[in-house]
Each structure stands twice: as C-alpha cells, then as structure tokens.
Amino acid sequence: MDDQELLEAVASLVRPGGRELVCGRSGHAAGHVCLEVPAGADLRTLRARFSRRYGQLRNLVMGGCTDPKVTERTGLPLLAPFAGELAEMRGWASGNRWIGCGAVRAGDGEELVVLVAERDAPPSDEPPEEVVRVASPRRVTPRDDRRTWVRRVIDLTGWEPLGLSVDWAAVEEELGVPLPADYKELHEAFGGGVFSDSVSFLGCGGGVSFDLPAQWRAALSADRDSTYGSVSGVDPYAVYAPGGKGVLAWGSTEWADEYCWLIDAERPGDHPVLARSHDPGPWYRYDMSTSEFLYRVLADADFLPFGIARYGLGATFLPGSGGPFDGRKL
C-alpha cells in the first residue's frame, strides 16, 4: 500500500454508508479500524495530505502530552485504542467518522498509525429534495439596529478586528471574479479560523487549511480527476473554474456541513450562498450576504438546518494557527 492507496482506504470508510468499523488488531475493540501505513511514510506528509482533503485538524496529542480538554465530541475515540501509548495524534472530523493520524511508542522508537473511528454527528434536518431554494428568513433584528452583518459577527464573538491587509486584486485575478465585499471585511477582521469551536472560515493567506485559494485549487483538481468517475463531489454543480459557473467553498463545520457561493463568471457581482448538511442531501440556496448567513449560523437557533446556537457551543473565534494546540479550545 502506498500513500494514495491509504487515502483512498480512508475515503471509503468515511463516505456515507461506509462499512462497520471493526479493527483487526489484537485487543482493539470495535468502533474503529486501524489501517496499514505504507513503509517509509512520513508523519508530516500524511498530516498535510489529510488536512488538504479534510480541512482543519485537531491537535490531540503532541510530544506525548494529551490535550486535557479532549472529549468524545472533540476526538477522544481516536485515543481510546492506544491506552497511553500515543506520542502524537491529530484528528479530522468527517460526517459521522473521525480520522486520526499519529504515532505510538514502539520499543525504542515510534510506529505511525492511521485510524478511522465512529463519531456522533448532529442529526440532519433535511427534506429529500435534491436542490432547495430558501428565501431570506424573516428579519428579527430591531429596526433601529443599523449595524452591518459583519459588525454583528464581530460584536457577537467579542473579537478585536485584526485589520489584515490582502492583495485582493491578485486573488480575484486568479479566480476571474470579484469576491463579496462583506467576505473581504470578514477576512480583514478575523482572518481564517474557527467560530464556536466548530465552524471553519476560509481566509486568504496563512496556513493551507484556512486558505480559500489553496482549498479551491485542491477542490478544482479533485473535481477534474476522473479516478472516481464523472460525478462531481458537489453534484449537481461543479467546482467553480475561471470563466465558468460553479461552487466555491468558503466555510465548513466539523461535522462536514459545507458553506459555498454559487459563482457565475457572467454575473460577477452575484454571490448566493449554497449550503448542505453533513448527511449528503440537498443544497440550500440563500439569497443573502456571506456575513448574514454566518451570523445566523452562529446566533439563530431557529436557522435550520444550519444554525448551531441550539447546540450551546457559545460564540467564539479562534485563529487558525498559534499556541501548542493550534489555539483551539478543545
């Protein structure tokens, strides 16, 4: 098995309807599968490849030290099979499965491990339609609240805007279309990172996991790869390509919800939000701004199926890098 075969094996386990997870290792309980790691594989390279495919990682064990705040919700099933033997472990959430990549102590050295474990994901509230157009929800904010939606996200999280500078002209030249003005404001205030420990927001610049252009390039490459057949991963759409029409992702959740824009090069000022839940089903179309959609996801418990306020996660923001555990409150 080589690295690509390992990635394909993981993908087959995390896609909906994947087989039951029963590990073949002696002494390992059901609920996970340890996969064969290619000889000569490098931990850093594997982490990078998983991050490109599955987004933001969670630092669960570093240098033999386990994050003391790790829970069932934040990756504990990846640690359970190894009973204190772990030297390193990173985790990624994908729907109802965890993906783990790390190292266990073995004699005088370390052995690389990759596993997929069961994960409890929030239930899906989706109807069966393939594509759903959703009108903007009834405005519930006071008439005298004249704050922009970007300002509301800032106030909601108690965040001090960073005032980041970006060469937007260069980014938009590569994409071939302008990005939404309020998205640019969000990036300049926050950069890439995670809201409420659950919602990943892609900025422009910084680490690959939170870089919108880098993630777009990877998604476009995968969408054009015929290895897995001709059906797009964002069916019935395609990943946006310059000059065309398609989906461009700007956010996601740890349970694999996706937030995108529907981009049409012939309508460069139009950026409706497309979103779908972790249990593959219909796309929802919202004719509202990026910042309004994000605010409602974070603050409106009745914003179904995407509002996360009902889960009591709080309204916080943590940048995508920094600190011994990537700045994450796990």
Side-chain angles (χ1 to χ4, degrees):
M1 176 180 286
D2 59 21
D3 285 6
Q4 185 59 38
E5 290 172 326
L6 175 60
L7 288 170
E8 292 171 3
V10 170
S12 71
L13 291 173
V14 302
R15 65 171 56 106
R19 67 180 173 88
E20 183 181 2
L21 301 183
V22 179
C23 189
R25 287 200 179 190
S26 177
H28 281 208
H32 78 281
V33 169
C34 290
L35 297 162
E36 178 185 350
V37 179
D42 175 72
L43 181 59
R44 178 175 294 182
T45 300
L46 287 178
R47 285 203 308 258
R49 297 191 73 174
F50 281 123
S51 289
R52 289 190 188 99
R53 181 169 292 194
Y54 297 106
Q56 171 65 4
L57 60 80
R58 288 180 177 272
N59 290 313
L60 305 176
V61 180
M62 297 180 67
C65 298
T66 300
D67 180 357
K69 296 181 180 179
V70 67
T71 66
E72 286 283 339
R73 194 185 72 80
T74 57
L76 189 60
L78 295 173
L79 311 186
F82 303 103
E85 300 173 355
L86 282 166
E88 303 285 336
M89 180 57 72
R90 308 298 191 275
W92 296 262
S94 181
N96 64 351
R97 298 280 162 95
W98 285 109
I99 302 162
C101 179
V104 297
R105 301 181 183 90
D108 295 330
E110 296 178 351
E111 174 188 350
L112 297 190
V113 292
V114 172
L115 71 157
V116 174
E118 298 286 0
R119 174 174 180 268
D120 291 330
S124 173
D125 300 309
E126 299 171 346
E129 292 85 3
E130 183 179 37
V131 179
V132 180
R133 179 185 294 271
V134 179
S136 297
R138 179 175 58 87
R139 296 298 188 262
V140 295
T141 50
R143 289 181 178 273
D144 60 353
D145 188 349
R146 299 182 181 278
R147 295 176 299 167
T148 66
W149 290 106
V150 172
R151 184 73 250 176
R152 291 173 191 176
V153 175
I154 291 171
D155 292 347
L156 179 70
T157 56
W159 184 252
E160 185 66 30
L162 299 175
L164 298 175
S165 177
V166 178
D167 186 352
W168 293 116
V171 174
E172 293 171 337
E173 181 179 7
E174 180 181 6
L175 292 171
V177 288
L179 290 170
D182 70 317
Y183 164 77
K184 298 178 189 179
E185 292 181 45
L186 284 169
H187 170 79
E188 290 166 1
F190 292 95
V194 179
F195 289 93
S196 299
D197 284 335
S198 301
V199 178
S200 294
F201 176 77
L202 300 182
C204 292
V208 171
S209 294
F210 289 105
D211 184 56
L212 185 147
Q215 292 293 326
W216 166 66
R217 292 183 208 110
L220 183 59
S221 176
D223 205 50
R224 289 171 167 173
D225 187 346
S226 61
T227 302
Y228 301 107
S230 59
V231 177
S232 171
V234 293
D235 189 65
Y237 303 101
V239 173
Y240 168 76
K245 180 178 180 179
V247 170
L248 175 59
W250 57 266
S252 63
T253 69
E254 65 170 27
W255 44 85
D257 289 357
E258 298 173 82
Y259 307 148
C260 311
W261 299 297
L262 181 58
I263 301 291
D264 185 346
E266 295 185 359
R267 303 180 65 183
D270 195 17
H271 303 94
V273 173
L274 285 181
R276 66 178 175 181
S277 280
H278 63 277
D279 185 12
W283 286 100
Y284 288 74
R285 172 170 171 149
Y286 294 87
D287 292 309
M288 63 174 62
S289 70
T290 307
S291 52
E292 179 181 355
F293 180 86
L294 179 60
Y295 178 86
R296 294 190 179 280
V297 164
L298 299 175
D300 186 352
D302 295 325
F303 188 58
L304 301 178
F306 301 108
I308 67 169
R310 54 187 162 144
Y311 301 131
L313 301 176
T316 60
F317 179 77
L318 291 165
S321 62
F325 288 92
D326 258 1
R328 300 290 302 275
K329 294 180 181 177
L330 300 178

